[in-house]
Amino acid sequence: MRIVNKTFTELAVGDVAEQRRLITQDDLYVFAVSSGNHNPMHLTDSDLDGDGKTERVAPGMFVASLISAVLGMQLPGAGTLYRQQMLNFHARAHAGEELICRVEVLEKLPDGAVRLSTTVRRVADDSVILTGEAVVDAPVAKFDCDALDLPGLIVQRHRHFEALLARARPLPALPTAVVCPDDAKSLDGALLAMRESIITPILIGMADRIRAAAIDIGADLTGIEIIDCPTDIGAATLACTLVNEGRAAAVMKGHLHTEDLLKPMLDKVAGLRMGRRFTHVFVMDVPGQPEPVMVTDAAINIAPDLATKVDICQNAIDLALSLGMEPRVGVLSAVETVNPAIQSSIDAALLSKMADRGQISGGLVEGPLAMDNAVDMGAARTKGLKGMVAGRANILVVPDIDAGNMLAKQLAFMSHAESAGLVLGAKVPVILNSRSDSAMSRLASCAVAAVHHFASGARG
């Protein structure tokens, strides 16, 4: 794209320029941050004016800024500076609407200024949003150059989790055995999911500590079943019993060590094993990504062998199908070619071939892939990689727990992702959160479990 201006001498009365702009919700968030105007009328789905409709009204000055864009980029273009802008607002614009901004030269003034009419209309019905006039200093020097390379902006919204929660809320509340929710965060996460009608919690652990945690967060436990159990292992064992009796359809980790939660589940008689290895999946909502990204296994299997990686792939594919995703598994290594000295590259190639032969089903599996050419189409093309996975992977199978943990935490703390954690391979979903996880992360984990439970049941 090139920027070409019109100098004062080139301008003529009647010159016209137009620009279309689709208003997105992210536009309104960016404007709120840059302007300091956090009026909820512009940012929420609330009905603050009582008209029975949700808001997300575009701020008037955001709409007016579209005029500035036309003046500064097209007519007169680069070098234009404002003297005056008069605005009359006739209607409101909203996120999701497309607007067209038009400016027309009305008069060239003796001192080098230009007077222009300014209009913004809604494309859908041609209704007028804004009218007015601008007086600007027109450029005197010609400018003809490529557009400036501006830094990109990513709004730290988690729209994928918002959509996931919207899917989970209408489902029947999932009876969930919550093991040792005796601290503020774990109890609050379970109660938040209950208030959202995603789970029905059964609280298992030291009853006095659970009630003390409830007092700390100001929560009312009336009507919620609490089963007193003096030890962490005992509480985890009791959760398995509730699942086997059909009273619970999911298990949620509270304030206990992961190994204490999983040990009773691995018992061959009273546990929750069903043939596959237990594997962990982070479902990550990374701002700017077009769909969720899964990272597996980053929490359970330390140095998985090939057989374990088969289950890691299959469990993740099954979860992706439940979430309505098209599973594209990128098996990661340090390189995208098979190197006999790098075991992860050999395993990746074998997993890819096993998928071709139907030993892993339900999704596409490709490897080895390096991280860049797994998720970036440009990097994949540079390396000459073809197929449906390279550059588009939405499931990242890591070589070992070190790589997985580092990748997941990098996405969380540097890319501002929210993560939902789930253990798969058991009879029921196991909701696994860390003690540092946010309320959104805990809520999303419950939503993933609920959607997976009901979707996998429907698939049989």
Side-chain angles (χ1 to χ4, degrees):
M1 177 182 175
R2 295 188 68 79
I3 300 176
V4 181
N5 68 358
K6 279 194 172 185
T7 65
F8 181 80
T9 57
E10 293 173 321
L11 288 169
V13 174
D15 284 348
V16 173
E18 292 183 342
Q19 186 177 101
R20 289 190 176 211
R21 175 68 177 265
L22 175 66
I23 304 176
T24 69
Q25 187 63 47
D26 283 355
D27 289 332
L28 306 191
Y29 282 114
V30 169
F31 187 81
V33 172
S34 61
S35 68
N37 178 9
H38 299 172
N39 182 350
M41 287 282 287
H42 308 311
L43 302 173
T44 71
D45 285 323
S46 303
D47 177 18
L48 299 181
D49 56 8
D51 64 355
K53 299 178 181 179
T54 55
E55 316 304 351
R56 298 197 176 187
V57 177
M61 295 312 295
F62 170 80
V63 176
S65 72
L66 305 183
I67 299 170
S68 174
V70 180
L71 294 173
M73 295 290 290
Q74 293 177 253
L75 186 71
T80 301
L81 293 174
Y82 260 123
R83 284 194 185 183
Q84 181 179 331
Q85 176 75 62
M86 293 177 289
L87 301 171
N88 296 299
F89 294 94
H90 305 277
R92 304 298 179 192
H94 301 80
E97 295 179 343
E98 187 177 17
L99 304 182
I100 185 166
C101 179
R102 185 178 191 271
V103 302
E104 180 179 353
V105 176
L106 299 177
E107 182 182 6
K108 295 175 66 174
L109 303 176
D111 60 354
V114 179
R115 188 168 63 89
L116 307 98
S117 69
T118 56
T119 307
V120 178
R121 293 177 176 270
R122 185 182 291 111
V123 171
D125 57 7
D126 199 37
S127 59
V128 177
I129 303 294
L130 179 157
T131 59
E133 286 190 4
V135 178
V136 301
D137 286 327
V140 295
K142 190 66 179 175
F143 187 91
D144 185 345
C145 188
D146 290 334
L148 300 176
D149 185 16
L150 299 178
L153 296 177
I154 296 178
V155 178
Q156 295 176 25
R157 288 182 61 212
H158 298 98
R159 57 171 61 88
H160 303 308
F161 279 178
E162 291 166 7
L164 185 63
L165 291 170
R167 284 185 59 190
R169 289 186 185 103
L171 298 172
L174 191 67
T176 302
V178 187
V179 183
C180 301
D182 54 19
D183 74 320
K185 279 197 170 182
S186 60
L187 180 60
D188 191 43
L191 297 181
L192 176 60
M194 181 190 72
R195 291 193 295 272
E196 294 283 347
S197 302
I198 295 172
I199 70 170
T200 298
I202 304 169
L203 309 180
I204 308 170
M206 297 185 190
D208 56 344
R209 291 189 181 180
I210 294 172
R211 292 190 176 94
I215 292 172
D216 287 344
I217 61 175
D220 183 4
L221 300 182
T222 302
I224 299 174
E225 183 176 2
I226 302 174
I227 301 177
D228 190 25
C229 190
T231 66
D232 292 353
I233 291 287
T237 302
L238 186 52
C240 293
T241 300
L242 294 181
V243 171
N244 288 323
E245 291 176 351
R247 291 186 57 199
V251 176
M252 184 174 184
K253 177 178 179 287
H255 189 229
L256 77 165
H257 293 295
T258 299
E259 55 267 31
D260 290 340
L261 176 72
L262 297 182
K263 184 176 180 180
M265 297 182 186
L266 295 170
D267 185 89
K268 294 181 179 180
V269 177
L272 304 181
R273 298 174 66 163
M274 53 177 292
R276 287 188 199 163
R277 291 163 178 80
F278 285 12
T279 67
H280 181 271
V281 177
F282 276 121
V283 181
M284 310 204 74
D285 188 343
V286 186
Q289 291 299 306
E291 60 184 334
V293 176
M294 295 187 184
V295 176
T296 184
D297 181 329
I300 294 180
N301 293 284
I302 296 173
D305 58 14
L306 180 64
T308 302
K309 288 181 179 178
V310 171
D311 285 349
I312 288 172
C313 289
Q314 192 63 66
N315 285 342
I317 287 171
D318 291 348
L319 178 59
L321 292 172
S322 294
L323 300 184
M325 298 168 59
E326 176 188 286
R328 298 185 298 275
V329 181
V331 187
L332 299 183
S333 182
V335 293
E336 64 280 342
T337 55
V338 177
N339 185 332
I342 304 177
Q343 184 61 44
S344 61
S345 74
I346 298 173
D347 289 350
L350 291 171
L351 291 167
S352 179
K353 180 55 66 175
M354 292 172 77
D356 290 344
R357 299 289 172 85
Q359 292 173 270
I360 302 172
S361 62
L364 301 171
V365 180
E366 187 175 324
L369 293 173
M371 181 64 188
D372 57 346
N373 49 60
V375 299
D376 183 82
M377 188 61 72
R381 288 172 178 166
T382 298
K383 293 297 180 68
L385 300 176
K386 300 178 181 179
M388 296 299 293
V389 176
R392 303 175 63 236
N394 54 17
I395 299 173
L396 302 175
V397 174
V398 296
D400 54 38
I401 199 170
D402 285 336
N405 190 271
M406 292 175 191
L407 175 56
K409 287 182 178 177
Q410 180 187 32
L411 292 174
F413 289 95
M414 298 184 70
S415 299
H416 308 287
E418 285 281 6
S419 63
L422 213 62
V423 175
L424 303 170
K427 291 180 182 179
V428 297
V430 180
I431 302 161
L432 196 65
N433 291 106
S434 70
R435 282 170 287 185
S436 62
D437 282 343
S438 67
M440 169 60 86
S441 179
R442 294 172 187 274
L443 184 58
S445 297
C446 293
V448 170
V451 171
H452 180 51
H453 171 78
F454 290 105
S456 59
R459 291 201 306 269

